[in-house]
Amino acid sequence: MASGPPKHEMQFFPNITTSLPSQSGEFRRVLWTGLYSQVVLMTVPVGGDIGDEVHTVDQALTFTSGVGKATIAGKDQDIKAGDLMVVPAGTQHQFVNTGPTPLILYTVYSPAEHDPQTVHKTKEEGDEEEENGKDEAPEWSQRPKAENEKDGLVKTSGKY
């Protein structure tokens, strides 16, 4: 688990929507975790899926490679590279790779859903860590805005 909130500095991911590899060896990798959101890279292998799930956080997924099928609250939607899908907190969702290549995406959770150091090579590894409580969002990423402001983690002056 990360030791504390991120520093107040830029995090830059150049060409993330156009230059992600069409092959990746990891099912899930957390790229960045902030006080109110988290960026995660995911690769769904051919014939794979992310699992039928419901989160208590909002999620926006941007697909950068491959094709698949999204099922959100019982409604199906074909998805492909270049598409954005938003899943509100408390909504059932599933994403299935229906194509001949990996389905690659990055997702933004708000607030964080995973430990900031998370790297899962497979879906099965991710499921096991989640079931065993080893992949939990840090406490500091779940705090109310007012508490973060009171403790000086967020200053409207932008000076730290």
Side-chain angles (χ1 to χ4, degrees):
M1 178 87 64
S3 59
K7 295 178 181 177
H8 293 274
E9 55 190 35
M10 179 189 322
Q11 295 296 311
F12 182 55
F13 303 97
N15 301 315
I16 193 166
T17 61
T18 59
S19 66
L20 287 176
S22 62
Q23 299 262 349
S24 174
E26 300 162 344
F27 176 71
R28 178 184 295 124
R29 174 182 285 275
V30 172
L31 299 178
W32 180 82
T33 303
L35 288 176
Y36 307 120
S37 61
Q38 182 174 64
V39 181
V40 177
L41 177 63
M42 294 187 73
T43 300
V44 182
V46 173
D49 63 75
I50 65 163
D52 191 21
E53 56 189 5
V54 176
H55 298 300
T56 59
V57 303
D58 292 328
Q59 184 177 12
L61 304 94
T62 301
F63 299 89
T64 63
S65 181
V67 295
K69 181 178 83 170
T71 303
I72 312 293
K75 292 185 180 178
D76 292 338
Q77 176 65 54
D78 289 334
I79 51 175
K80 64 185 180 328
D83 290 347
L84 169 69
M85 180 68 68
V86 176
V87 181
T91 305
Q92 173 277 335
H93 59 284
Q94 166 69 294
F95 296 88
V96 178
N97 182 345
T98 61
T101 62
L103 179 62
I104 301 179
L105 64 110
Y106 68 90
T107 183
V108 178
Y109 294 100
S110 182
E113 177 70 10
H114 298 283
D115 180 302
Q117 304 303 313
T118 291
V119 177
H120 295 140
K121 292 185 175 149
T122 65
K123 178 181 178 302
E124 293 74 24
E125 179 183 357
D127 290 345
E128 181 179 329
E129 285 196 8
E130 287 178 2
E131 288 172 18
N132 293 327
K134 294 181 180 177
D135 183 24
E136 300 292 326
E139 177 276 330
W140 51 260
S141 72
Q142 308 298 302
R143 296 170 40 168
K145 286 173 53 177
E147 191 175 330
N148 287 331
E149 291 167 4
K150 178 177 159 262
D151 290 347
L153 295 175
V154 176
K155 297 178 184 177
T156 57
S157 69
K159 309 242 188 276
Y160 298 91

